[in-house]
Amino acid sequence: MKNRDTFSSQIGIVAASAGSAIGLGNIWRFPYMAGKNGGSAFIIIYLVAIILMGYPLVYTEFAMGRRAKTNAVDTFGIIGGKKTWNSVGFLAVLTVFLISTFYMMITGWVIYYFYHSLTGGLYHISPSTDSVTYFKSVFTHMSSSMGIPLIFSMIAIYITALINSIGIKEGVEKYSKIMMPVLLVLFIILIGYSTTLPGFSQSMTFLFKPDFSVVTPAVIIGAIGQAFFSLSLGMGALITYGSYISKTENIRKIAKQVTFADTAIALFSGLLIFPAVFTYNLEPTAGPSLIFISLPQVFLKMPGGRWFSVLFFLLVIVAAITSLVSMLEILITYTIEKTNWTRKTSTWVIVFLTTIGGAINIAGEGPLSFVQIGGRTIFDWLDYLTNNITIPLVAVLTAILAGWVWKNVHLNKELEIGGTPSTMLDHQFNSILKWLIPPTIIILMIALILGIEA
Ligand code: TRP
């Protein structure tokens, strides 16, 4: 086997993995999912899911990756001792491919909004025009066309590919170490401003005072799915990064830091977005268009809002690009190891394929939006299928593989390399993989398939 690249430092691994985890899932998806599903009740379930299911799967994926030292597909076969396990890895890689096709579309939308905030064009609105109608039409005009979103999403994927084509240490790691501090600084500036808005305390209530009457199986699986999506679990992302982690690193420690960073950013994103939403009397339940239709109305009304808008969309771009980098890396590592092509060739082949997928999503929102199955566009279907079905499925099978087939002794052995001896608590977390994750998710998935709706 060729010499594999490795991450050079713990801080680099944490930056790249937190970069993977922190993305549109935190800033765009988490606030609207919470908004739509009753706010704090959803958040509590989400937090429980992060601690009891997310964290153990994060270190398990890292450990599997480092142990097998190969792409996400073959890792499953190596850990499971049978080639048939590769099919689970294949499902993970297929899932990440599907996600990357709509992720690039949304990142393209964000770049479009950034660009038009910067030029000021987004806020050129005559005083007599109703701002709701105006921003709805801006969004519809953009998302229903073909050329503009395609160009902007291609910009997103090309920036990403330039980073990936360099390699792990000099590309992914180096750029993550630059982008994550930028992200943090932008975030702190924006949060600081948000806390001064009158709607701040109302959002605290909305986000942190639970109402359990709205909880259904669909809300629970939505929260678990969100936890997995946000931590980039069930898609081979952390397995792939794990395969580039050296034996001197403490995986449990890295897993804790990544889980914490991702969760903190999701919660703070709520505190970034909702004060503005409440201050200007908008609906917190707006859905995917929350940051594209509701927030610009807020930016329009607040003093200095245009610059807030520039910083906000820049923040989202940085977050989304580091996630796209990790998605492409899964596909690139797999391609390199299956074909023996160079990293450069593999990168551009993957870019070509994702761009086709991206174009299909874009067409599905635009010129072909009449092609709907069961009232859902192509993007809606992909989002639904991946988050509710394939991601939980891969996560369950990963837990079963690690807990029942690979077994705790071997998992622990890998975790102790570069780390510290396992404590009682560590052992208890491992048993979650065996006893808690599989039954919980299987029951919820059955409930969902039987159509117990929200
Ligand atoms: N975790 C990312 C976010 O929160 C999204 C994501 C989903 C992802 N699947 C992934 C990132 C796979 C990298 C790899 O936005």
Side-chain angles (χ1 to χ4, degrees), residues 20-21 23-26 96 103 229-230 232 235 237 323 326-327 330:
S20 166
L24 294 171
N26 303 60
V96 88
Y103 212 88
F229 182 83
S230 191
S232 311
M235 287 158 280
S323 295
S326 107
M327 291 185 200
I330 301 164

Side-chain angles (χ1 to χ4, degrees), residues 217-268:
V219 171
I220 300 176
I221 197 140
I224 296 176
Q226 173 62 26
F228 290 169
F229 182 83
S230 191
L231 288 168
S232 311
L233 288 169
M235 287 158 280
L238 303 182
I239 292 179
T240 304
Y241 277 1
S243 76
Y244 297 112
I245 295 181
S246 84
K247 295 275 185 203
T248 54
E249 302 289 350
N250 183 342
I251 288 183
R252 277 203 183 95
K253 192 164 147 205
I254 292 169
K256 280 185 195 129
Q257 291 171 346
V258 172
T259 309
F260 176 80
D262 182 62
T263 311
I265 295 283
L267 294 177
F268 279 111

